[in-house]
Amino acid sequence: MFISTMRFVGDLDDEFYDDERQRDVWNEASAVGFQLFYWVSLIACCILPWVAGVTGSWITLGILIVFVTISAVVVSYARARGLDLYTSQSLLTPRVVTATGLYLIAALSAIATLFVKLADAGSSIFIGMAIGTCVGGGCGVYGILRKRRLNHEGDARAEAAELLELEKEG
């Protein structure tokens, strides 16, 4: 269901994709477009809370939610097609670290701006938001790291079993 829905969203059954060169060039162009959205969104989200105050902070949070949703769909689609990005690449590249840093700056700037402005009005909900953001972010990082570790352990077990089988045959 997910794959067919995403194929519809991406219009992947269009005859345009019948030509392999067109497909490859379009896939590269789409990747460039996704990455452009990725970086422009993060930079804009870092600036908005400081330039536009409370309004910019709400916009930042909205953009970050869209950002995370689109990123999750991309990763889920790749995983559904048999590619697990968390096991095939390192998360400690300068690009990933920079993007994570920008994301955190944007999120914390927006939350801090909203907290300061609305804390004056006696709104304790933002204290809960700040705590929830920290706990949720920490759980997300833990989950990703745990998944990577489990995948690596599974790969190591499979490799060991394959070597053992080869030794039995040889």
Side-chain angles (χ1 to χ4, degrees):
M1 179 85 153
F2 175 72
I3 295 272
S4 59
T5 302
M6 292 300 102
R7 288 188 69 79
F8 174 77
V9 169
D11 198 20
L12 299 180
D13 294 323
D14 189 275
E15 65 186 40
F16 174 83
Y17 289 108
D18 291 343
D19 181 284
E20 282 301 312
R21 182 177 183 290
Q22 284 181 184
R23 175 188 288 267
D24 288 344
V25 170
W26 185 252
N27 286 342
E28 288 178 9
S30 296
V32 169
F34 174 72
Q35 292 299 318
L36 182 62
F37 168 78
Y38 184 89
W39 290 106
V40 169
S41 296
L42 287 176
I43 292 167
C45 287
C46 286
I47 296 169
L48 275 169
W50 305 110
V51 172
V54 172
T55 302
S57 295
W58 284 117
I59 293 168
T60 292
L61 292 178
I63 292 171
L64 290 177
I65 289 168
V66 170
F67 175 90
V68 167
T69 302
I70 291 172
S71 296
V73 168
V74 168
V75 170
S76 296
Y77 183 81
R79 185 175 295 135
R81 299 291 312 262
L83 176 64
D84 189 351
L85 297 175
Y86 297 117
T87 58
S88 64
Q89 74 177 37
S90 172
L91 292 180
L92 294 176
T93 64
R95 180 182 184 89
V96 173
V97 171
T98 301
T100 302
L102 288 173
Y103 184 89
L104 291 174
I105 289 168
L108 294 175
S109 297
I111 290 169
T113 301
L114 292 170
F115 179 73
V116 168
K117 181 70 174 178
L118 297 173
D120 294 338
S123 178
S124 64
I125 192 165
F126 288 96
I127 294 171
M129 278 179 51
I131 293 169
T133 299
C134 293
V135 170
C139 289
V141 168
Y142 171 76
I144 289 170
L145 293 175
R146 183 173 184 273
K147 172 87 168 122
R148 290 191 76 198
R149 182 180 52 82
L150 291 173
N151 286 341
H152 286 296
E153 288 174 0
D155 291 345
R157 280 193 301 275
E159 190 174 304
E162 187 177 321
L163 287 174
L164 185 63
E165 189 174 311
L166 287 173
E167 287 177 4
K168 285 180 182 179
E169 290 177 2

